Amino acid sequence: MQITDGMKHLEERFLALEEGFDKQKEEYENIESHLDNLRKDFYNSFRPEIMWQKALDIGPSGAVVHQELFEVIAEPSVPVPAHNLPPVGPLVRTELKPNELVYSMRHSLFARWAQAQIIEVVKREPKNTSYKIRYNRNAKSSCQTAIMTGRQLAYYASCPTRIPVGTRVIAKYRDDDPKNTTISGAFYVGIVAEIPTAANKYRYLIFFDDGYAQYVLHGDIRVMTEASSCPWEDVSSDSKEFIKDYLQMYPERPMVRLQKSNYVKTECNGRWWKALVKEVDGSLVKMFFPMDGRSEWIYRGSTRLSPLFNKKMNSQAQTKQPQKTIRRRTVAVPGTAVVEYGTFGQGLDPEATAPGKEALVLIGYDNNKTETGERRAVARKSTMSRAGTPPREVQQRIEQESKGFTKKHTLHEETIKFTRHICTNKCLGKGDNMSDHKGLSPLLYPMMFGWYRHIVKQRRRTMGRNEVYYVAPCGRRLRSVEEVFRYLLETESNLEIDCFSFELAVDTSHEWEPFKKIVNIDDVSGRDENVQISCVNSLDDTAPQPLVYSNVRIPTEHVPLNLDPNFLVCCDCIDDCQDKSKCPCWQLTIQGTRILDRSENPNTGYHYRRLSEQVQSGIYECNSRCKCSNMCLNRVVQHRLRLKLQLFKTARRGWGVRTLHDIPRGGFICVYVGKMLNETIANEEGKMIVGGDDYYAELDYIEVMENAKEGYEEEVENIEEESSKLSVEGSAIAGSDSTDSDGFYSENEVDDTKDDRDFSHPTYMKKVGLTKREKSARLQERSSRNNFLKKGKVSPKSESKDGSGSGSAPASDDEASKSSQPEKPKETEPKEDSKSEEAADDFDDDDEADEKQRRPQTFAPSQLLATPPKQRANKSVREYFGKDEAVYIMDAKHTGNIGRFLNHSCEPNVFVQNVFVDTHDLRFPWVAFFAISNIRAGTELTWDYSYEVGSVPGKTKYCYCGARKCRGRLL
């Protein structure tokens, strides 16, 4: 009986406890919800308002029409009231009728088009109708007739709807020089390359057939009356292949990211010149060539710009090396221009799939079919434009992955009064064994041993600024990292110098914690690392794939990694390698900078164990044979992991790594390790296993250095080779008449060879084998007009010979140059010239101006692209290791450390550095990560994979890093 009563009593108490727990849980949830609301209300005042609007129904019916060439057809019309643009609708080409006004090709495809009138329809066939036309009467010639096809005519009125990309048009070209009347304001044939959007100020980008590119308003464009199914077939110039590649890749376009005042090597007349960026307008850039003072608008996707040209040459070289069919991460070279793969200025083109549109083949054109109709043996590439922002549900997941809070470690500070004394090891007080506080931020170690980090506002004259001071346990105030390091030496402290940071933006007490933890793993390293690496999934219940964790690289059978310390350079330093001039290890790093900088940089490498920028020539650390201690300033990468990192699940990019506390600029993070493979095995495994090359990192230190050195030596050779010759010819150059310009020097140009010997006078260009640049159209017109006025008249015979007739071909360059030679002037000629020049304003030379052609340009340096890739002049360093020596690969797919999880970003906060520690073999550097800038707690760590876009046939990988300057593609 007593037992039964006791059990009932216990049950009643248990139920009461459960009710109490439920009430506490409910109260806790209410408090947490209330705190969340308070937090949201506080941050909402600083957060921009984002409104999600309903989808707009384009057109009245919402019907979808299917057609043979086009998969999706848009509705016919949408009114657009702003920016003087017509509504979006189908591009309808009406049939021409007699007496209708048109624009017609006159002398050649490249010459400006003239007004004409349809007389009759000679032969009407689909896309090949012939018309008899009559050119409009002018003051100089009578009405002339000609037979033209529909592809040689354009409508007289502007298009009533928006014009899609890929449409053949004629457009007015506006020259920067208002005096150049022959070119400016005339219609020239081209193709629409970009539709009007807010990004390009609601203008069309036109690629003219003769190589020019310009933004044009809708009212200055006329649509061709007929066009081929493939627009590039109508382009009969060097621009044909470029336009074909452009349209087949559209809307994705590789372009060089440029800013004003940048210097970029640009091709001109078959040679590369260092040109200055004067202005960037959407997809165009205005380049200034110092060698002649001339400016030119160039499309930012043209291979005349060296970054894109180099990528083109690399892809051509890779086609001859079919074994390179895997993607590999590599070290990004600093300071190089970036090629972005985006859809700048390309909104969704509703007209791209409108009924009756024949010219545009972007949407619906099967890129897998050749011109003969056969399918290619390649994966089909989607031509639909990628959305600029992710869908709402994905955006919510992205926000969820980074939700968390920062907690601060509470530190009790005691005021210590400083008394004058000589610091010894007795000043340390509590001791400073760092192993007692594993898992904390290294920057927090000093505070655990009686140090204090103060931010003090210093007033200097009229300015005040905040500075960081450290107060030692004995009360001594230390104002710089140099003073701290000297103090650590004098007191024989166990603290290391990289535990101190004088960066104002760094908070040593911050530690980040996620709000939600669906999956929570304490340590993914299996205690192989010095610090636990937690793993959190706040999105779902997925755990990371199994990984054989290793914090050292593992060579495989065919990797000749020799770790014998007898082959290492070592030092005898006893001052922790403070004096770089006396440390042989430091000298190896310093001497390496001479390869690229021509002179040694004594300040290169670590600065108190921080690396502010990448050392492209590599860093040589002290090794096991060196006599310096573990506190050495040249021992960084070889130390084990000290930062508290966390593996977490991202919404779009798999697993990533973030730091749980602040990292100062230049701080060492971790290394990238895995199995080391030779290139042959890596290629085979990369093909056999799905995603087998996802975690490949290329040990290409030798190739990066040789390429950088090769490009540098070319420039040095050009300067030194010609310096003496230029000085000898200086007097002849100075005496030349600058007004007799060949287009390379402007009339006001001042020849100053001290600025850049590569941009020299035309005498130098003739010497190196370059042809003389033709006169511009403006100078040709001026010369022709002066000749005409001097002669007084032109015979009909010579007029017909020059090609003024409707069916004649344009005169050749040789003939034009002969006809433009001035006769020997007479004594009375200046007076006659003055009278004739006054009469020139009333002289109508439209017919003569129509015949003039602009000097053709090219979108690509065809004369260079046609040549095979240049072979390396000297033997590669890698060839000295063996006949079949190739690049070695670090594979971290199944075996590796936390470094394998760092994601890519086009604007990374981490950079890669090649470091030599246990071997000085140039084939096997360590791959180490350092912070580019101060990194706040909770921030994801990212680096630039430096994938070569297009290097892997059949693979396209878009980038979702979310950076402001995202390049758009990884592969």
Side-chain angles (χ1 to χ4, degrees):
M1 189 69 179
Q2 292 179 351
I3 295 174
T4 304
D5 293 340
M7 291 179 63
K8 289 182 178 180
H9 180 69
L10 290 175
E11 287 179 359
E12 291 175 358
R13 290 189 61 183
F14 181 74
L15 292 174
L17 288 173
E18 280 190 343
E19 292 178 0
F21 285 140
D22 292 339
K23 290 181 180 179
Q24 289 182 356
K25 183 178 180 181
E26 184 178 356
E27 292 177 359
Y28 174 77
E29 290 177 351
N30 291 334
I31 293 173
E32 190 178 32
S33 176
H34 182 64
L35 289 175
D36 287 341
N37 293 332
L38 289 176
R39 189 182 294 106
K40 289 179 181 178
D41 292 340
F42 175 75
Y43 285 109
N44 279 340
S45 59
F46 305 98
R47 185 176 299 165
E49 183 179 358
I50 300 176
M51 299 180 64
W52 298 93
Q53 302 290 349
K54 294 182 179 180
L56 297 177
D57 294 330
I58 299 177
S61 63
V64 177
V65 182
H66 292 274
Q67 197 173 344
E68 181 179 358
L69 289 177
F70 306 101
E71 298 175 356
V72 181
I73 305 302
E75 281 297 329
S77 63
V78 176
V80 179
H83 307 291
N84 297 322
L85 287 173
V88 176
L91 179 62
V92 179
R93 289 186 169 90
T94 58
E95 295 182 353
L96 298 177
K97 300 178 181 178
N99 299 324
E100 188 173 350
L101 293 177
V102 292
Y103 284 97
S104 172
M105 184 181 75
R106 185 68 186 274
H107 299 284
S108 71
L109 190 65
F110 293 161
R112 69 180 189 175
W113 288 40
Q115 296 181 11
Q117 188 175 17
I118 301 294
I119 298 178
E120 62 175 330
V121 179
V122 178
K123 180 179 63 174
R124 190 177 295 279
E125 295 180 358
K127 296 185 179 181
N128 193 25
T129 305
S130 299
Y131 301 92
K132 185 177 182 180
I133 64 166
R134 178 176 58 243
Y135 291 101
N136 284 359
R137 183 185 301 273
N138 55 39
K140 184 177 180 180
S141 61
S142 59
C143 299
Q144 300 173 353
T145 61
I147 303 297
M148 293 290 179
T149 64
R151 300 182 190 181
Q152 297 171 324
L153 301 176
Y155 293 104
Y156 186 78
S158 61
C159 185
T161 59
R162 294 200 203 181
I163 308 172
V165 173
T167 306
R168 290 285 289 172
V169 296
I170 59 172
K172 285 185 179 181
Y173 181 85
R174 304 288 181 182
D175 196 272
D176 290 342
D177 186 0
K179 299 179 181 179
N180 196 352
T181 56
T182 301
I183 298 178
S184 185
F187 280 103
Y188 293 89
V189 65
I191 197 167
V192 176
E194 193 176 289
I195 60 175
T197 60
N200 56 29
K201 301 178 182 178
Y202 298 96
R203 298 168 297 172
Y204 292 88
L205 177 62
I206 305 297
F207 287 161
F208 293 96
D209 285 13
D210 51 0
Y212 291 80
Q214 193 172 85
Y215 279 109
V216 183
L217 297 175
H218 183 89
D220 294 335
I221 300 176
R222 303 293 185 268
V223 178
M224 305 282 282
T225 59
E226 289 182 0
S228 302
S229 300
C230 299
W232 55 82
E233 292 180 353
D234 296 337
V235 180
S236 58
S237 69
D238 295 335
S239 306
K240 182 175 183 178
E241 288 300 321
F242 173 83
I243 292 177
K244 178 180 179 181
D245 294 340
Y246 177 91
L247 294 179
Q248 289 181 337
M249 290 183 64
Y250 179 87
E252 184 180 273
R253 301 183 296 158
M255 291 191 295
V256 183
R257 184 185 300 155
L258 297 172
Q259 294 180 349
K260 191 175 180 179
S261 301
N262 286 355
Y263 277 94
V264 181
K265 282 191 175 182
T266 308
E267 186 270 345
C268 180
N269 277 13
R271 183 164 181 180
W272 295 94
W273 306 91
K274 191 176 180 182
L276 174 67
V277 176
K278 298 288 288 184
E279 185 180 349
V280 178
D281 183 10
S283 301
L284 301 179
V285 58
K286 189 175 185 179
M287 304 300 298
F288 173 74
F289 293 91
M291 76 277 190
D292 66 342
R294 182 179 58 87
S295 297
E296 178 184 347
W297 283 99
I298 299 177
Y299 172 56
R300 289 197 291 124
S302 170
T303 48
R304 289 181 60 192
L305 302 173
S306 61
L308 274 172
F309 175 77
N310 293 336
K311 285 187 175 292
K312 181 77 172 179
M313 298 300 291
N314 289 340
S315 62
Q316 287 183 357
Q318 287 168 359
T319 56
K320 300 183 179 181
Q321 299 176 354
Q323 70 273 14
K324 291 187 177 181
T325 56
I326 57 176
R327 51 182 170 177
R328 307 165 182 172
R329 307 173 185 181
T330 184
V331 177
V333 179
T336 56
V338 176
V339 178
E340 54 188 353
Y341 292 78
T343 56
F344 175 83
Q346 307 292 341
L348 291 178
D349 189 357
E351 176 55 24
T353 52
K357 181 186 68 57
E358 298 99 353
L360 180 60
V361 297
L362 276 301
I363 309 297
Y365 177 78
D366 193 351
N367 288 321
N368 293 327
K369 290 184 179 180
T370 61
E371 296 180 0
T372 58
E374 299 177 356
R375 296 185 64 85
R376 302 174 185 169
V378 296
R380 180 172 181 176
K381 181 192 296 181
S382 172
T383 57
M384 290 301 294
S385 144
R386 293 186 298 114
T389 56
R392 184 177 182 181
E393 57 275 9
V394 177
Q395 187 68 30
Q396 291 175 347
R397 286 172 61 85
I398 294 175
E399 294 176 358
Q400 178 65 33
E401 77 182 30
S402 58
K403 280 188 176 181
F405 61 95
T406 302
K407 59 183 181 180
K408 294 187 67 123
H409 289 275
T410 57
L411 301 172
H412 301 284
E413 297 187 2
E414 299 178 2
T415 303
I416 300 175
K417 187 176 181 180
F418 174 73
T419 58
R420 296 178 65 88
H421 67 282
I422 298 175
C423 291
T424 62
N425 56 359
K426 295 181 180 180
C427 296
L428 300 179
K430 304 177 183 179
D432 50 9
N433 188 3
M434 293 191 300
S435 60
D436 296 338
H437 299 279
K438 285 184 179 180
L440 293 178
S441 167
L443 302 178
L444 199 59
Y445 286 165
M447 273 60 78
M448 305 304 296
F449 303 129
W451 289 72
Y452 303 105
R453 186 176 186 265
H454 291 168
I455 299 178
V456 182
K457 188 169 185 178
Q458 289 286 344
R459 293 191 178 275
R460 297 181 177 177
R461 296 182 180 178
T462 59
M463 295 181 59
R465 63 176 184 180
N466 293 335
E467 293 183 355
V468 174
Y469 289 160
Y470 273 93
V471 179
C474 62
R476 185 179 295 277
R477 178 175 289 187
L478 306 173
R479 298 170 176 81
S480 65
V481 65
E482 292 84 2
E483 293 183 6
V484 171
F485 183 74
R486 189 163 55 249
Y487 181 88
L488 296 178
L489 289 180
E490 291 176 354
T491 58
E492 299 178 358
S493 173
N494 292 321
L495 283 174
E496 301 184 10
I497 190 60
D498 48 358
C499 295
F500 298 84
S501 174
F502 286 83
E503 298 280 353
L504 284 169
V506 172
D507 194 322
T508 60
S509 61
H510 277 180
E511 185 167 342
W512 195 84
E513 187 77 15
F515 278 135
K516 194 175 183 180
K517 299 179 181 179
I518 299 177
V519 174
N520 187 15
I521 303 175
D522 293 335
D523 188 9
V524 296
S525 68
R527 298 186 178 180
D528 286 343
E529 291 287 5
N530 191 40
V531 181
Q532 288 186 347
I533 302 174
S534 60
C535 176
V536 169
N537 189 344
S538 303
L539 304 178
D540 51 47
D541 57 355
T542 305
Q545 294 181 353
L547 174 70
V548 179
Y549 199 93
S550 174
N551 52 20
V552 295
R553 49 188 182 171
I554 302 174
T556 56
E557 180 181 358
H558 300 286
V559 178
L561 178 62
N562 186 0
L563 301 181
D564 188 350
N566 293 321
F567 291 96
L568 299 175
V569 175
C570 60
C571 69
D572 297 328
C573 302
I574 57 175
D575 62 344
D576 289 334
C577 300
Q578 296 182 64
D579 191 349
K580 297 182 180 181
S581 63
K582 296 180 181 179
C583 178
C585 301
W586 273 112
Q587 286 303 306
L588 286 177
T589 302
I590 294 173
Q591 290 169 8
T593 60
R594 188 193 307 168
I595 300 175
L596 302 180
D597 300 337
R598 296 189 65 189
S599 60
E600 294 180 356
N601 181 7
N603 299 319
T604 191
Y606 303 130
H607 179 70
Y608 291 100
R609 289 193 173 180
R610 299 273 159 74
L611 187 63
S612 58
E613 61 182 3
Q614 185 187 77
V615 181
Q616 193 174 349
S617 54
I619 292 179
Y620 293 82
E621 288 195 0
C622 294
N623 50 73
S624 58
R625 293 187 61 199
C626 297
K627 294 184 179 180
C628 52
S629 68
N630 200 44
M631 307 280 290
C632 171
L633 297 179
N634 197 30
R635 295 180 185 266
V636 178
V637 170
Q638 56 193 269
H639 289 302
R640 301 185 66 182
L641 181 69
R642 292 179 178 175
L643 301 179
K644 195 171 184 180
L645 306 178
Q646 185 176 82
L647 184 65
F648 74 104
K649 182 66 177 296
T650 67
R652 308 182 80 180
R653 298 183 295 159
W655 294 89
V657 179
R658 60 188 167 207
T659 175
L660 299 184
H661 48 70
D662 290 11
I663 302 177
R665 183 172 68 97
F668 168 63
I669 299 174
C670 64
V671 295
Y672 190 98
V673 300
K675 291 195 305 180
M676 300 177 68
L677 311 175
N678 64 13
E679 191 173 40
T680 303
I681 296 177
N683 285 335
E684 293 176 357
E685 291 187 0
K687 296 177 184 177
M688 294 171 55
I689 305 173
V690 177
D693 56 354
D694 287 346
Y695 297 94
Y696 279 179
E698 201 169 51
L699 304 180
D700 58 349
Y701 168 80
I702 295 176
E703 283 69 26
V704 171
M705 285 297 298
E706 286 183 341
N707 291 335
K709 182 180 178 181
E710 185 179 56
Y712 167 75
E713 287 178 343
E714 286 179 357
E715 296 178 1
V716 173
E717 183 181 357
N718 290 338
I719 295 173
E720 294 180 351
E721 223 177 55
E722 304 298 336
S723 58
S724 59
K725 299 179 181 179
L726 287 172
S727 61
V728 174
E729 298 175 359
S731 57
I733 294 174
S736 61
D737 187 5
S738 62
T739 58
D740 188 14
S741 174
D742 62 352
F744 251 83
Y745 267 70
S746 62
E747 297 181 3
N748 298 325
E749 183 76 39
V750 178
D751 186 12
D752 187 2
T753 57
K754 295 180 179 179
D755 292 341
D756 193 338
R757 296 186 185 277
D758 195 32
F759 308 142
S760 310
H761 199 272
T763 307
Y764 170 71
M765 297 183 56
K766 182 178 181 181
K767 180 170 50 182
V768 296
L770 287 178
T771 58
K772 190 176 182 181
R773 181 190 290 273
E774 298 176 6
K775 292 184 179 180
S776 64
R778 179 172 57 88
L779 295 178
Q780 289 181 11
E781 181 192 19
R782 183 190 302 171
S783 176
S784 176
R785 178 178 294 182
N786 290 339
N787 294 338
F788 179 82
L789 294 175
K790 290 174 183 177
K791 293 179 181 179
K793 61 179 180 178
V794 178
S795 62
K797 183 178 179 180
S798 61
E799 187 176 10
S800 61
K801 182 179 180 180
D802 289 341
S804 59
S806 60
S808 61
S812 63
D813 295 339
D814 295 335
E815 293 174 351
S817 60
K818 291 178 182 178
S819 62
S820 61
Q821 292 294 331
E823 295 182 358
K824 187 175 181 179
K826 300 180 180 180
E827 295 180 359
T828 58
E829 212 168 46
K831 296 182 180 179
E832 295 177 1
D833 286 347
S834 61
K835 294 180 181 180
S836 59
E837 286 176 2
E838 291 176 0
D841 295 334
D842 299 329
F843 178 73
D844 190 351
D845 59 348
D846 284 348
D847 187 66
E848 185 177 294
D850 286 343
E851 187 179 354
K852 297 295 181 184
Q853 293 184 190
R854 299 184 292 184
R855 182 178 57 84
Q857 296 182 355
T858 56
F859 292 102
S862 56
Q863 73 278 15
L864 297 180
L865 289 175
T867 60
K870 184 176 62 175
Q871 300 295 327
R872 189 180 300 278
N874 301 321
K875 189 176 182 180
S876 172
V877 173
R878 195 175 292 277
E879 295 178 12
Y880 288 101
F881 290 98
K883 181 179 179 181
D884 300 326
E885 190 68 25
V887 177
Y888 291 95
I889 311 298
M890 190 83 75
D891 179 17
K893 183 173 182 62
H894 301 295
T895 302
N897 69 337
I898 187 63
R900 74 186 287 276
F901 292 103
L902 267 67
N903 281 323
H904 164 84
S905 176
C906 297
E907 289 184 308
N909 51 19
V910 171
F911 69 87
V912 183
Q913 176 62 52
N914 287 313
V915 184
F916 297 94
V917 182
D918 53 1
T919 177
H920 289 173
D921 191 332
L922 301 181
R923 299 172 295 174
F924 305 110
W926 286 28
V927 180
F929 296 117
F930 290 85
I932 293 177
S933 58
N934 298 319
I935 304 176
R936 300 288 292 176
T939 305
E940 183 181 3
L941 304 177
T942 55
W943 63 295
D944 191 344
Y945 287 177
S946 299
Y947 281 148
E948 188 73 27
V949 176
S951 61
V952 183
K955 284 189 179 181
T956 301
K957 188 175 181 64
Y958 292 105
C959 180
Y960 299 104
C961 67
R964 183 173 57 92
K965 293 183 179 180
C966 178
R967 295 195 292 268
R969 275 184 63 179
L970 281 174
L971 286 174

